[in-house]
Amino acid sequence: MIEEDYKKGWRQHFPTYHFEKRDIALEEYKVAAKNLESEERVFLNASNVSLVSSAALGSLLVGSSDRLASVFEDIIPPYVISMISLLIILGFSFVTLKYFSDRQRSIVFSGRKVIILRRMLGLSYGRVQLLLPNWRVEGADQPLAVRLFPGWFTYVAYPFWIVSIISTSVVFF
């Protein structure tokens, strides 16, 4: 039976069963929806904080690079100071981008859980997409309709653009 389904190309992406006692599933749905909302709020707040902090740290590093080189001139050669500052910038950029990618993955998985629980509870918004598009969590019927990375020009990629532009400009100057 399993081999026959596999040969036909059928795969089950989400549970097709439903709950008979819906109270537990409804509470789980409420918790998942609150978790999704808080994850999105954390992502947006963190992107705002990263914008401010990376701009402040970048301008501080660019402004004090000459003084830093003159203080350590006798101890460390200038090219070593440049290499250390470059490593600090790259490390900050990598850690920040890794954090945002983990937050986005958590948001997508929480959204998929909400979609799965909604379907298991028997709720579907149908095929009309005027108010609730089926590629967003609000109107999706399939959990994989919510993509892990929606695109380079969406709000998900803003932290990447912010951190990369500021890091590149600091390295350039």
Side-chain angles (χ1 to χ4, degrees):
M1 172 82 181
I2 294 173
E3 291 178 15
E4 292 173 6
D5 290 336
Y6 183 73
K7 288 179 183 176
K8 292 179 185 176
W10 181 86
R11 293 199 175 118
Q12 183 175 353
H13 295 294
F14 61 95
T16 55
Y17 51 86
H18 63 281
F19 294 104
E20 294 195 16
K21 294 185 179 181
R22 294 178 176 241
D23 296 338
I24 296 171
L26 193 56
E27 288 301 317
E28 182 71 24
Y29 177 79
K30 288 178 185 177
V31 169
K34 286 181 184 178
N35 185 23
L36 176 62
E37 182 181 346
S38 68
E39 288 285 339
E40 287 177 342
R41 193 176 310 127
V42 165
F43 183 84
L44 292 175
N45 288 338
S47 78
N48 291 335
V49 167
S50 74
L51 171 65
V52 171
S53 66
S54 61
L57 289 174
S59 66
L60 181 67
L61 190 63
V62 167
S64 65
S65 64
D66 293 334
R67 281 183 271 151
L68 186 66
S70 66
V71 168
F72 290 112
E73 185 175 11
D74 298 333
I75 303 168
I76 302 172
Y79 69 90
V80 174
I81 294 172
S82 298
M83 294 296 273
I84 291 172
S85 63
L86 180 66
L87 287 174
I88 289 172
I89 292 168
L90 290 176
F92 173 76
S93 300
F94 178 75
V95 168
T96 304
L97 293 177
K98 177 74 172 141
Y99 172 77
F100 282 116
S101 65
D102 289 343
R103 289 293 102 214
Q104 176 59 26
R105 184 175 52 207
S106 176
I107 289 170
V108 169
F109 289 160
S110 295
R112 288 177 180 176
K113 182 178 180 179
V114 167
I115 294 167
I116 289 169
L117 288 170
R118 186 185 313 138
R119 286 294 302 261
M120 289 173 68
L121 287 168
L123 181 62
S124 176
Y125 293 115
R127 296 182 184 258
V128 178
Q129 300 182 36
L130 295 176
L131 295 175
L132 298 170
N134 65 359
W135 64 88
R136 293 189 351 208
V137 175
E138 293 86 9
D141 282 339
Q142 302 291 328
L144 296 177
V146 178
R147 294 185 296 173
L148 197 56
F149 182 68
W152 286 105
F153 298 108
T154 60
Y155 78 97
V156 173
Y158 289 162
F160 168 77
W161 292 113
I162 291 168
V163 170
S164 63
I165 289 171
I166 290 175
S167 297
T168 304
S169 63
V170 168
V171 168
F172 178 73
F173 289 115

